Each structure stands twice: as C-alpha cells, then as structure tokens.
Amino acid sequence: MFSFSVVGRSGAARAGLLTTPHGAVETPAFMPVGTAGAVKAVTRAQLEEMGAQVLLANTYHLMLRPGDELVAELGGLHGFTGWTGPFLTDSGGYQVFSLAALRRIDDDGVSFQSHIDGTAHRLTPERSMEIQSHLGADLIMAFDECPPGAAPREEVAAATERTTRWARRSREAHRRSDQWLFGIVQGGTHLDLRDRSAADIVALGFPGYAIGGLAVGETKDDTWRVVDHTAPRLPEDKPRYLMGVGTPEDILDGVARGVDLFDCVLPTRNARNGQLFTSRGRLSIRNARHRRDPRPPDPECGCYTCRTASRAYLRHLHLAGEMTAATLMTVHNLSFYLDTLRRVRQNILLGRFEEFRGEMLRALAASEAEAEGGA
C-alpha cells in the first residue's frame, strides 16, 4: 500500500518514488496548497492537466469549516473533492499558532478561538489525529508547536520538547493503516535543539519526516544552515518534507540538500496579486509596459496560459478585477513550479543536477526588466 524508494542520486539530491493508496508520487515533488480542499482559482481538471501529483489540505481550516465529520460522511477528502490522487494534510498546529485568536498553550494541547466566528475549540495530538483520520489523506502530520522565528531560545526549547511529547501521543493515537504519519523536527535556528529534536523524532520510528519551523521570519542563511544540519540526520530511506518552502530558488536549494517534498502558497498567492514566475525571473503583470505586449508570459512555457493569453490580455483582466486573471495566472505559476520539479528529477536521474541547478539559478536571477523584455 505504501512504499518509498530512492531511485537515483546526483550529489545529495535524490529522485524517489513514493507509493500511496491513491497513486505514486515521483519525487522531488511540489504539492499545490488546497487550504480548504481546493487550490484557489483552479479546477481539479486544470490541476490534472498541469500534472499535479499530490495536494495539500489544511486540518485547521477544514475542522472549522465545513467540519471534519461532514467531510468523513461524504467520503473523506477524496470523496468530498473528487481528487483521485494523494492528499497530504498538515496537523493544524501552525494555523492555530498563526491565525487563531486568544490561544492558550499547555502541555496537553491548545485552546483557541476560531478566526472565523470566535467559537472556542481545543486541539490536542489526539484530536488532530481524529480530524486527520476523518479527512482521510494519504499522508498526515504529527501535531507540533511551531514558534515564531524571533522567539527567544527558552520558548523554542520548550516548544521543541513539547513537539516531541506530542509526536509520541500522535503516534499512539494514529489508527489507520491507510495513512502514513510523518514526524516533524523543530528547534528553530538552534542547531543543538535541532539535533535533539531529530534524534527524538527519528527514535519514534515514523515512515516519513518533515523539517518544520522554517520560513517563519528567519533569514535565508539561517534557513539553509538549519536544513544543511538537519537533513543528514533524517533516515536515508524515508521521505523528507521541507514545510512551507518556498520560491523556485528555495526548492532548487532544498533538493540540493536531499529534500523530497515541498509546499508553498507563493505560486497561487502571487498569481492572484499579479506576479508571475518565469524562466527569466519574476514578472509583474501590472507594469504599464505590458499594456500592448502580445507575447505570452513566458515564451519557454507550454502551459495553457502561455499558449492562449498575451501579457496585454492578462494585464487587462487583472486591472479590471476579472476572476479569469487569477485562474490564468495561477495555471501558469503552478505549471512553472510543477514543470521545474519534473526537470529537476530528470536531471537528477541524468546525474547532472548541480549543472542544471546552476543554469536555472542564473536564469532566475535575471532582472525583472529582462524578464519583461526591457524598459
């Protein structure tokens, strides 16, 4: 039902195959974020056409609306949404700490008020496992505490220890054999805390591991210092997931350090705000220079948007507030991310990932003026 194998290497970069009850995922892989059970602005058919393999859904949001029991009644996430491929759900912890009002953390769990209607809720490792069981994703996450990037060391140390205790309770409460439960390594930017967390979480024997607590306000140098230190401390034969990261450049850098799975809201959120990721850097569709530009967003991209829409048309739709603008630009950005990961995997299998990474990083570093064809 489940398996993971590394089928190719290029330096520390790995090409793998993750098999789940709802299909296989070729890694490294990017998971589009479908917070409330849908990726914003695009349909399931569009995701399939883009080649999305696995979607991420959010435990906190689905618990609050429409409710995890309702989702379970309607066949879990797969029956409820119609997506036939694998799902991953996060534990809900990050959203509780970042969104919920008046939260109160204790060793048992977290009490908080909904950011939607102010109703009171309680989330514990056991409740997180129950919700994720109801949602029925293939890959689920242990309940963890993610402290802010600027938190003092004492707070990070306490959160790290609590995450280990909660991981053990999540493991004990996990019941479904058709769900793989991942453990999460915390520790902020403190390498000794990362050491302790990695050792404790690995000792619990999860089938997959995530590096959490990054992209929460720390510097890029600190992010990669932590990943450099932590990834080698995770088992070679298990999938590794870098949570919430990031830009195309970040994904290339993560793959170079042996990471297999990524998720981030950037391609969808930035699309709705008029920013496109292209093979020659980022492009702001709002720029006046696109008013009469007949070219596609990225001449090197074969997505539906680049085949059918000009920069001038996209700019018009965006400035006019047309919903179609968000759809077309989201299709492009997700296609760019997914295609990048396919090319990454191909180059790992060819044994030339570092050459490919260098070429792509140089191209992505091009100025916006170059991406937009000059002033």
Side-chain angles (χ1 to χ4, degrees), residues 21 30 88 166 177 183 202 269 275 303 308 327 359 361 370:
F30 178 78
L88 179 147
W166 287 356
S177 63
V202 169
R269 179 182 293 165
Q275 186 182 73
C303 77
T308 63
T327 295
E359 293 162 2
L361 286 175
E370 183 179 349

PDB file of all heavy atoms in Angstrom, residues 21 30 88 166 177 183 202 269 275 303 308 327 359 361 370:
ATOM      1  N   PRO A  21      -1.914   4.815  -1.255  1.00  0.00           N
ATOM      2  CA  PRO A  21      -3.142   4.145  -1.696  1.00  0.00           C
ATOM      3  C   PRO A  21      -3.833   4.838  -2.861  1.00  0.00           C
ATOM      4  O   PRO A  21      -4.648   4.206  -3.547  1.00  0.00           O
ATOM      5  CB  PRO A  21      -4.025   4.181  -0.431  1.00  0.00           C
ATOM      6  CG  PRO A  21      -3.059   4.236   0.703  1.00  0.00           C
ATOM      7  CD  PRO A  21      -1.928   5.081   0.200  1.00  0.00           C
ATOM      8  N   PHE A  30       6.443  18.974  -5.807  1.00  0.00           N
ATOM      9  CA  PHE A  30       5.814  20.145  -5.211  1.00  0.00           C
ATOM     10  C   PHE A  30       4.341  19.862  -5.031  1.00  0.00           C
ATOM     11  O   PHE A  30       3.681  19.352  -5.945  1.00  0.00           O
ATOM     12  CB  PHE A  30       5.996  21.379  -6.099  1.00  0.00           C
ATOM     13  CG  PHE A  30       5.330  22.606  -5.549  1.00  0.00           C
ATOM     14  CD1 PHE A  30       5.912  23.325  -4.520  1.00  0.00           C
ATOM     15  CD2 PHE A  30       4.093  23.026  -6.032  1.00  0.00           C
ATOM     16  CE1 PHE A  30       5.288  24.438  -3.972  1.00  0.00           C
ATOM     17  CE2 PHE A  30       3.457  24.140  -5.500  1.00  0.00           C
ATOM     18  CZ  PHE A  30       4.060  24.853  -4.473  1.00  0.00           C
ATOM     19  N   LEU A  88      -2.113  15.235   1.223  1.00  0.00           N
ATOM     20  CA  LEU A  88      -1.400  15.390   2.488  1.00  0.00           C
ATOM     21  C   LEU A  88      -2.144  16.424   3.308  1.00  0.00           C
ATOM     22  O   LEU A  88      -2.560  17.456   2.776  1.00  0.00           O
ATOM     23  CB  LEU A  88       0.053  15.831   2.263  1.00  0.00           C
ATOM     24  CG  LEU A  88       0.923  16.050   3.514  1.00  0.00           C
ATOM     25  CD1 LEU A  88       2.383  15.676   3.220  1.00  0.00           C
ATOM     26  CD2 LEU A  88       0.866  17.492   4.041  1.00  0.00           C
ATOM     27  N   TRP A 166       4.205  15.558  21.941  1.00  0.00           N
ATOM     28  CA  TRP A 166       3.009  15.499  21.109  1.00  0.00           C
ATOM     29  C   TRP A 166       3.184  14.502  19.963  1.00  0.00           C
ATOM     30  O   TRP A 166       2.215  13.860  19.550  1.00  0.00           O
ATOM     31  CB  TRP A 166       2.673  16.892  20.590  1.00  0.00           C
ATOM     32  CG  TRP A 166       2.101  17.808  21.644  1.00  0.00           C
ATOM     33  CD1 TRP A 166       1.804  17.496  22.940  1.00  0.00           C
ATOM     34  CD2 TRP A 166       1.753  19.186  21.469  1.00  0.00           C
ATOM     35  NE1 TRP A 166       1.298  18.594  23.592  1.00  0.00           N
ATOM     36  CE2 TRP A 166       1.247  19.649  22.722  1.00  0.00           C
ATOM     37  CE3 TRP A 166       1.824  20.076  20.410  1.00  0.00           C
ATOM     38  CZ2 TRP A 166       0.821  20.961  22.900  1.00  0.00           C
ATOM     39  CZ3 TRP A 166       1.386  21.383  20.589  1.00  0.00           C
ATOM     40  CH2 TRP A 166       0.894  21.827  21.829  1.00  0.00           C
ATOM     41  N   SER A 177      -4.258   2.274   8.960  1.00  0.00           N
ATOM     42  CA  SER A 177      -3.111   1.716   8.239  1.00  0.00           C
ATOM     43  C   SER A 177      -2.988   2.276   6.832  1.00  0.00           C
ATOM     44  O   SER A 177      -1.946   2.113   6.182  1.00  0.00           O
ATOM     45  CB  SER A 177      -3.235   0.190   8.172  1.00  0.00           C
ATOM     46  OG  SER A 177      -4.399  -0.189   7.443  1.00  0.00           O
ATOM     47  N   GLY A 183       6.577  12.476  11.234  1.00  0.00           N
ATOM     48  CA  GLY A 183       7.024  13.251  12.379  1.00  0.00           C
ATOM     49  C   GLY A 183       7.652  14.554  11.922  1.00  0.00           C
ATOM     50  O   GLY A 183       8.162  14.645  10.799  1.00  0.00           O
ATOM     51  N   VAL A 202      13.147  10.783  15.245  1.00  0.00           N
ATOM     52  CA  VAL A 202      13.543   9.589  14.487  1.00  0.00           C
ATOM     53  C   VAL A 202      13.399   8.343  15.355  1.00  0.00           C
ATOM     54  O   VAL A 202      12.993   7.271  14.876  1.00  0.00           O
ATOM     55  CB  VAL A 202      14.977   9.744  13.942  1.00  0.00           C
ATOM     56  CG1 VAL A 202      15.500   8.413  13.392  1.00  0.00           C
ATOM     57  CG2 VAL A 202      15.025  10.810  12.849  1.00  0.00           C
ATOM     58  N   ARG A 269      -0.765  32.461  -4.417  1.00  0.00           N
ATOM     59  CA  ARG A 269      -0.997  33.791  -3.857  1.00  0.00           C
ATOM     60  C   ARG A 269      -0.416  34.878  -4.764  1.00  0.00           C
ATOM     61  O   ARG A 269      -1.059  35.901  -5.029  1.00  0.00           O
ATOM     62  CB  ARG A 269      -0.392  33.886  -2.459  1.00  0.00           C
ATOM     63  CG  ARG A 269      -0.553  35.254  -1.803  1.00  0.00           C
ATOM     64  CD  ARG A 269       0.107  35.293  -0.451  1.00  0.00           C
ATOM     65  NE  ARG A 269      -0.577  34.420   0.507  1.00  0.00           N
ATOM     66  CZ  ARG A 269      -0.056  34.033   1.671  1.00  0.00           C
ATOM     67  NH1 ARG A 269       1.163  34.410   2.004  1.00  0.00           N
ATOM     68  NH2 ARG A 269      -0.746  33.266   2.482  1.00  0.00           N
ATOM     69  N   GLN A 275       1.756  38.614  -9.905  1.00  0.00           N
ATOM     70  CA  GLN A 275       3.167  38.291 -10.123  1.00  0.00           C
ATOM     71  C   GLN A 275       3.301  36.890 -10.712  1.00  0.00           C
ATOM     72  O   GLN A 275       2.729  35.924 -10.194  1.00  0.00           O
ATOM     73  CB  GLN A 275       3.969  38.359  -8.827  1.00  0.00           C
ATOM     74  CG  GLN A 275       5.472  38.162  -9.073  1.00  0.00           C
ATOM     75  CD  GLN A 275       6.276  38.180  -7.799  1.00  0.00           C
ATOM     76  OE1 GLN A 275       6.247  37.230  -7.016  1.00  0.00           O
ATOM     77  NE2 GLN A 275       6.997  39.274  -7.559  1.00  0.00           N
ATOM     78  N   CYS A 303       2.375  25.946 -20.940  1.00  0.00           N
ATOM     79  CA  CYS A 303       1.109  25.810 -20.216  1.00  0.00           C
ATOM     80  C   CYS A 303      -0.039  26.441 -21.005  1.00  0.00           C
ATOM     81  O   CYS A 303       0.170  27.184 -21.961  1.00  0.00           O
ATOM     82  CB  CYS A 303       1.213  26.443 -18.826  1.00  0.00           C
ATOM     83  SG  CYS A 303       1.117  28.257 -18.812  1.00  0.00           S
ATOM     84  N   THR A 308      -2.260  30.558 -24.830  1.00  0.00           N
ATOM     85  CA  THR A 308      -3.506  31.204 -25.262  1.00  0.00           C
ATOM     86  C   THR A 308      -3.653  32.667 -24.857  1.00  0.00           C
ATOM     87  O   THR A 308      -4.550  33.342 -25.370  1.00  0.00           O
ATOM     88  CB  THR A 308      -4.714  30.442 -24.687  1.00  0.00           C
ATOM     89  OG1 THR A 308      -4.676  30.502 -23.257  1.00  0.00           O
ATOM     90  CG2 THR A 308      -4.714  28.987 -25.141  1.00  0.00           C
ATOM     91  N   THR A 327      -7.260  32.855 -12.395  1.00  0.00           N
ATOM     92  CA  THR A 327      -7.187  31.490 -12.914  1.00  0.00           C
ATOM     93  C   THR A 327      -6.033  31.328 -13.887  1.00  0.00           C
ATOM     94  O   THR A 327      -5.201  30.417 -13.751  1.00  0.00           O
ATOM     95  CB  THR A 327      -8.515  31.108 -13.594  1.00  0.00           C
ATOM     96  OG1 THR A 327      -9.544  31.094 -12.606  1.00  0.00           O
ATOM     97  CG2 THR A 327      -8.417  29.746 -14.262  1.00  0.00           C
ATOM     98  N   GLU A 359      22.491  26.497 -13.860  1.00  0.00           N
ATOM     99  CA  GLU A 359      21.922  27.151 -15.043  1.00  0.00           C
ATOM    100  C   GLU A 359      20.601  27.837 -14.697  1.00  0.00           C
ATOM    101  O   GLU A 359      20.346  28.973 -15.107  1.00  0.00           O
ATOM    102  CB  GLU A 359      21.687  26.107 -16.143  1.00  0.00           C
ATOM    103  CG  GLU A 359      22.962  25.507 -16.713  1.00  0.00           C
ATOM    104  CD  GLU A 359      22.698  24.213 -17.461  1.00  0.00           C
ATOM    105  OE1 GLU A 359      21.506  23.813 -17.571  1.00  0.00           O
ATOM    106  OE2 GLU A 359      23.663  23.579 -17.920  1.00  0.00           O
ATOM    107  N   LEU A 361      19.430  28.771 -11.669  1.00  0.00           N
ATOM    108  CA  LEU A 361      19.591  29.879 -10.732  1.00  0.00           C
ATOM    109  C   LEU A 361      20.095  31.132 -11.443  1.00  0.00           C
ATOM    110  O   LEU A 361      19.666  32.249 -11.126  1.00  0.00           O
ATOM    111  CB  LEU A 361      20.541  29.484  -9.601  1.00  0.00           C
ATOM    112  CG  LEU A 361      19.979  28.507  -8.558  1.00  0.00           C
ATOM    113  CD1 LEU A 361      21.067  28.105  -7.570  1.00  0.00           C
ATOM    114  CD2 LEU A 361      18.787  29.111  -7.823  1.00  0.00           C
ATOM    115  N   GLU A 370      14.603  42.357 -17.644  1.00  0.00           N
ATOM    116  CA  GLU A 370      14.930  41.366 -18.674  1.00  0.00           C
ATOM    117  C   GLU A 370      13.775  40.412 -18.873  1.00  0.00           C
ATOM    118  O   GLU A 370      13.415  40.071 -20.004  1.00  0.00           O
ATOM    119  CB  GLU A 370      16.192  40.594 -18.276  1.00  0.00           C
ATOM    120  CG  GLU A 370      16.637  39.600 -19.336  1.00  0.00           C
ATOM    121  CD  GLU A 370      17.909  38.852 -18.942  1.00  0.00           C
ATOM    122  OE1 GLU A 370      18.547  39.256 -17.949  1.00  0.00           O
ATOM    123  OE2 GLU A 370      18.241  37.884 -19.631  1.00  0.00           O
TER     124      GLU A 370
END
